[in-house]
Amino acid sequence: MSLEIELIDSKNKEKVISEIKGRGLSKYASYEEGVKDIVSDVAENGDKALFSYTKKFDGVDMDPSKLIVTDDEIKEAYETVSKDLLDVIRKALVSIRSYHEKQKQNGWFTTGDGIILGQKVIPLENVGVYVPGGKAVYPSSVLMNIVPAKVAGVEHIYMCTPPGKDGKVADSTLVAAHEAGADVIYKVGGAQAIAAMAFGTESIQKVDKIVGPGNVYVALAKKAVFGNVSIDSVAGPSEICVLADESANPRYIAADLLSQAEHDEMASAILVTTSKDFAEKVKTEIEGFVPQLSRKEIISKSLENFGHLLVASDMEEAYDLVNAVASEHLEIVTKDPFSDMTRIKNAGAIFLGAYSSEPLGDYFAGPNHVLPTGGTARFFSALSVDDFIKKSSIISYSRDALEKIHTDIETFAKCEQLTAHANSIAVRFE
């Protein structure tokens, strides 16, 4: 592990920013053609291709009779999952649901002088949720992707997750999906599952939108099917940026940086501070923690490749760097974090104060943990109820209301040489 303290200057500032952006899917262009082939095969050949890839990549002989998780399998999962975990899932559900219910939008109308204008808010009808499987078990992601869809009023939620070698889905994943309200759970994963939901097969329902995390093949498949269906985002590796001053506890900050570095070797962990002495203390704490942690090899490579301890000359420079990085997760642990937060323009989720560490958002607080990565927090937001609705504009004019402006509309249409547009208005006043 090589993690050195760096004084911020224009050169290393640009280096950090380019690293964050460079961890995206552009590094995996060599996989793209293979993923497109899988997507095309499933789109053309349906179940036949889907089950062939399930055999090839997951080692499971799948057919329509085994595809859907049964009530008995869900019952068995409840019997296996501990009461403590079930209680935690249900408590987290309350927090997540309560937070997302505040995001609900209602339709509206304005009226006057023969004019009615409005907006109709309509939930999506069919949504697909992808959940990683195999070695990865993320019941928290199940909750975060399904709950906002349920709150939005989505009619049907279909979930795809790869089976283990035994043809089964992890018990905690099944319990979380059932508690959150998934309607159907399919035992398929990878790029082939994304294609199946995007185009539909003999056994899998075509959906209107696909959400949920996955590996590079899943991310590239989502990118490939976008346009045929909507997607939440093309997510990259996880990242954390911590803005801290000398008032922070260096042991806490080190632990928080490592909480994201353990995700994978491409994860990024960045400290921005104005105190070189504080950065030294954080470095010492990191070096003490790493050997004790179960994923120390992954953490070491993550820190070596994408870890930074950056010292800014003042808070203005620190704000500029944090906004340029536009991190997925941003912790502000300073004397006045709420004041410093007002200077932040770009971050997926902002955690304020010493006792609001990033895992709080991953599991329990309520805000969604599906967040923009790779600097895309400059223009993307967290997954929300908004992702599961669409809006239709409502327009109604009486004859009298239209008569007052019909010549204005005709003038505009003629300016654009769209005489049929102009005529559509003019014929009503012949």
Side-chain angles (χ1 to χ4, degrees), residues 266 299 425:
M266 296 291 289
I299 291 172
I425 299 295

Side-chain angles (χ1 to χ4, degrees), residues 6-22:
E6 307 166 73
L7 300 180
I8 292 176
D9 57 32
S10 59
K11 185 176 180 181
N12 63 15
K13 177 180 176 180
E14 290 305 315
K15 176 175 178 284
V16 171
I17 295 166
S18 64
E19 276 183 1
I20 290 290
K21 295 176 181 176

Side-chain angles (χ1 to χ4, degrees), residues 240 242 249-262 282 285-286 289 293 299 331 357-359:
I240 186 171
V242 179
N249 184 320
R251 188 168 177 82
Y252 293 176
I253 302 307
D256 294 352
L257 291 168
L258 296 173
S259 74
Q260 292 308 292
E262 77 170 342
V282 171
E285 293 289 350
I286 287 174
F289 272 131
L293 300 172
I299 291 172
E331 290 186 9
S357 61
E358 187 280 335

Side-chain angles (χ1 to χ4, degrees), residues 96-97 100-104 146-154 385:
I96 297 166
R97 188 179 296 114
H100 287 84
E101 281 174 347
K102 293 177 175 63
Q103 298 175 340
K104 289 183 71 172
I146 293 177
V147 170
K150 292 294 288 187
V151 170
V154 171
V385 171

Side-chain angles (χ1 to χ4, degrees), residues 369-386:
H369 76 199
V370 180
L371 300 165
T373 60
T376 60
R378 289 174 292 113
F379 44 82
F380 280 143
S381 305
L383 190 72
S384 73
V385 171
D386 291 349

